[in-house]
C-alpha cells in the first residue's frame, strides 16, 4: 500500500484506520517520517508498522497496538501511550520526554538510548527490555516491572520507584 494513502486514512482517525486494515488485510504499514503530531490514534492497530523517524509529538496513542513496530528515532514527546502495547517494538533513540506511559507494555522492547526524561511510567512492563544507555532521569517507575531488563549505562538520576520518594539508583556500564 502506498505511504500517502496509508497516511491519509490514518489521519481520519482510529476507526477509519482499523476498518481500513480489516478491509485491506495489511499486516503492517510504512509510515516512516510521517507527521502525525497531535493525531487521535486511540486504539489504533499499528502492529509491525514502520514509524521510523515519525513525528508523533502529542499524539493520543492510548490503548494502541504497536507490537513489533519500528519507532526508532521517533518523536513521541508528550504523547499519550497509556495502556498501549509496544512489546517487541524498536524504540532505539526515540524521544519520549514527558509522555504518558501508565500501564504501557514494553516486553522485550529495544529501548537503547531512548529518552524518557520526566515520563510517567507507572505500572509499565519492561520485562526483558533493553534499556542500555536510556535516559530515565526524573521518571516515575512506581509499580513498574523491570524483571530481566538490561539497564546498563542507563541514567537513573531522580527516578521515583516508591510513592513520593526518589530512588538512590545508579546504573553502570
Amino acid at each position: 500500500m502506498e505511504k500517502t494513502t496509508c497516511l491519509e486514512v490514518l489521519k481520519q482517525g482510529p476507526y477509519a484506520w482499523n476498518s481500513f486494515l480489516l478491509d485491506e488485510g495489511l499486516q503492517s504499514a510504512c509510515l516512516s517520517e510521517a507527521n502525525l503530531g497531535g493525531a487521535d490514534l486511540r486504539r489504533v492497530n499499528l502492529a509491525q508498522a514502520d514509524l521510523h523517524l515519525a513525528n508523533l509529538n502529542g499524539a493520543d496513542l492510548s490503548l494502541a497496538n504497536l507490537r513489533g513496530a519500528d519507532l526508532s528515532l521517533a518523536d513521541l514527546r508528550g504523547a499519550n501511550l497509556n495502556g498501549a502495547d509496544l512489546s517487541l517494538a524498536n524504540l532505539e533513540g526515540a524521544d519520549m520526554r514527558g509522555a504518558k506511559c501508565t500501564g504501557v507494555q514494553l516486553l522485550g522492547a529495544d529501548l537503547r538510548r531512548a529518552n524518557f526524561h520526566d515520563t510517567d511510567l507507572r505500572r509499565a512492563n519492561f520485562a526483558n527490555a533493553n534499556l542500555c544507555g536510556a535516559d530515565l532521569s526524573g521518571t516515575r517507575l512506581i509499580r513498574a516491572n523491570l524483571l530481566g531488563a538490561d539497564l546498563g549505562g542507563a541514567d537513573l538520576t531522580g527516578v521515583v520507584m516508591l510513592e513520593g520518594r526518589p530512588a538512590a539508583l545508579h546504573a553502570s556500564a
Side-chain angles (χ1 to χ4, degrees), residues 26-166:
L26 296 175
Q27 295 297 313
S28 59
C30 179
L31 296 161
S32 62
E33 301 183 43
N35 183 2
L36 295 163
D40 178 3
L41 302 172
R42 289 172 289 173
R43 297 183 182 271
V44 74
N45 183 358
L46 287 166
Q48 302 294 321
D50 179 359
L51 290 155
H52 170 74
L53 283 168
N55 175 13
L56 293 157
N57 187 321
D60 187 350
L61 290 152
S62 55
L63 301 171
N65 179 2
L66 292 156
R67 189 174 184 84
D70 181 0
L71 289 147
S72 56
L73 301 172
D75 181 357
L76 290 150
R77 288 174 295 153
N80 182 352
L81 290 157
N82 290 338
D85 186 356
L86 289 144
S87 299
L88 303 173
N90 178 4
L91 287 128
E92 183 178 357
D95 191 346
M96 310 271 295
R97 288 177 289 170
K100 297 172 190 150
C101 295
T102 300
V104 69
Q105 297 298 311
L106 292 155
L107 288 87
D110 183 352
L111 304 163
R112 288 174 293 154
R113 293 178 297 285
N115 188 346
F116 289 97
H117 177 74
D118 199 31
T119 300
D120 187 353
L121 295 162
R122 288 174 290 153
R123 297 186 311 280
N125 189 350
F126 290 101
N128 300 312
N130 185 345
L131 287 151
C132 288
D135 182 354
L136 293 162
S137 62
T139 60
R140 289 162 294 293
L141 289 168
I142 299 161
R143 286 178 266 150
N145 179 7
L146 293 162
L147 188 65
D150 187 346
L151 293 161
D155 183 353
L156 300 168
T157 307
V159 168
V160 176
M161 295 191 79
L162 300 171
E163 295 287 344
R165 294 185 186 168

